[in-house]
Amino acid sequence: MPRILKPVALAVAAALALAGCSSNAGSDSPSASAAPTPAAAPATGITVEGTGYEFTAPEGWEVPADFSLPGADVIVADLTDSDGFADNVNVFLSPAGELAPDQVESMGVGELEGAGATEVTVRDRIVVAESESAHISAGLSSNGADYLIEQYYVTQDGQTYVVTFSFSPTVSQPDRDELSESVLATWNWS
């Protein structure tokens, strides 16, 4: 079975550190209608329920039975991944409550770089379940393994959900975007 790195939370923890540096004030960002919705076909795997939301995982992905990620609300992984790294998605609830996209974009790069991330890039925003989400990509290394993340910040009713997709470095940017967007296209509030 490929491994899932526990330090995948590093990227999330770094992003959550934004909470200590920012207020929960509203955003001067463009309205959600200015950003596109996910363009990929919706994922068709299992339905995953979290605190106030649900989404559909990619076909074949599952909740790891013997794995916990402290602080994670959910984690789902491709346990059949043949390259030794289990691509996965995890969701954390921001302890600061709501983070506006402009807050994430203005401070997220420095926070992630400070936590050891490389090639941190603010990507175009995307609308997920009527919430305009910031999107940050980065590279990380842990226990001798390199991996890439696509991180989204989805907000509903004063709570931001940090959704982190982690991939082995062999997964191309277009493939990472397609898989991430296929899951985000299924995101629903419950």
Side-chain angles (χ1 to χ4, degrees):
M1 173 169 74
R3 65 182 167 162
I4 303 171
L5 297 176
K6 286 190 185 276
V8 76
L10 173 65
V12 176
L16 294 177
L18 293 169
C21 302
S22 62
S23 72
N24 292 336
S27 167
D28 349 353
S29 63
S31 69
S33 62
T37 57
T44 58
I46 62 170
T47 299
V48 179
E49 294 182 19
T51 304
Y53 63 92
E54 66 180 24
F55 62 86
T56 303
E59 189 69 38
W61 285 33
E62 57 189 271
V63 176
D66 296 327
F67 183 83
S68 67
L69 186 57
D73 195 47
V74 300
I75 183 166
V76 185
D78 180 1
L79 301 177
T80 64
D81 202 327
S82 62
D83 65 8
F85 180 84
D87 296 344
N88 64 83
V89 58
N90 62 65
V91 181
F92 280 70
L93 279 64
S94 166
E98 183 172 347
L99 297 171
D102 60 328
Q103 292 173 304
V104 172
E105 293 165 349
S106 67
M107 293 181 284
V109 172
E111 292 288 336
L112 286 165
E113 287 175 343
T118 60
E119 300 179 37
V120 181
T121 305
V122 173
R123 307 273 313 281
D124 290 339
R125 294 178 185 177
I126 188 168
V127 175
V128 179
E130 300 182 14
S131 169
E132 185 173 61
S133 169
H135 175 190
I136 297 179
S137 296
L140 290 159
S141 183
S142 178
N143 300 328
D146 295 330
Y147 59 102
L148 304 169
I149 64 164
E150 301 298 327
Q151 195 165 70
Y152 300 84
Y153 301 78
V154 185
T155 301
Q156 170 78 1
D157 294 335
Q159 179 62 60
T160 295
Y161 300 80
V162 182
V163 184
T164 304
F165 295 86
S166 300
F167 300 94
S168 87
T170 61
V171 181
S172 70
Q173 183 69 62
D175 288 345
R176 293 192 310 269
D177 289 342
E178 182 175 357
L179 186 135
S180 299
E181 289 188 21
S182 76
V183 171
L184 296 171
T186 68
W187 191 279
N188 285 303
W189 302 112
S190 56

